[in-house]
Every structure is written in structure tokens, then in C-alpha cells.
Amino acid sequence: MTVRPKPPPEPLAGFDENPPLDATFFARARPAAPGEAARLRAALEWIVKAHDAGRRMNQAISEARKVLAGA
């Protein structure tokens, strides 16, 4: 998994947190590594289950990060 840089604390001119999905984006795209899709699916399941149960999202995201890191 490639870590995206965090957005700056104050928006900078020209910084786009959600860049368009254009030809440049897809030129850099790559297939998922073995096991990567399963980790992403597990992390998403943590978040969705927490949301459905009404739990705090910060805790769910923290748990999802552990799954993504392979901890």
C-alpha cells in the first residue's frame, strides 16, 4: 500500500486532495499485490460494521489501520 501524503493544515494554492481520475492517474495504477485486496476488504469491513453498530468511527478507523499495516 502506498501512503498518500497528508493534506497541508491550511489549503495551499494548487493542492487538490481529490485529484481527477484521468489518464495520468490510470497510467500509474497497478494491480493489487497478493493479499492486498483481502487486507483492504477486512479494513473496510471493520469500518462498515462499526458504523452499523453505531460505534465511534475513530476506533473503527484505528482498527482498520492495524489491519492495513498487517499488524
Side-chain angles (χ1 to χ4, degrees):
M1 179 174 104
T2 303
V3 177
R4 288 183 54 189
K6 291 185 178 185
E10 296 179 18
L12 298 175
F15 181 81
D16 187 3
E17 187 174 334
N18 296 306
L21 302 179
D22 56 8
T24 304
F25 173 84
F26 288 105
R28 295 181 312 193
R30 59 169 179 70
E36 186 175 18
R39 283 195 323 276
L40 294 172
R41 190 176 306 111
L44 182 57
E45 284 178 16
W46 275 107
I47 294 170
V48 170
K49 287 179 182 177
H51 180 268
D52 290 346
R55 291 192 352 232
R56 293 184 57 221
M57 294 310 296
N58 288 344
Q59 179 185 2
I61 291 171
S62 175
E63 292 169 356
R65 282 187 177 146
K66 292 176 188 173
V67 171
L68 290 172

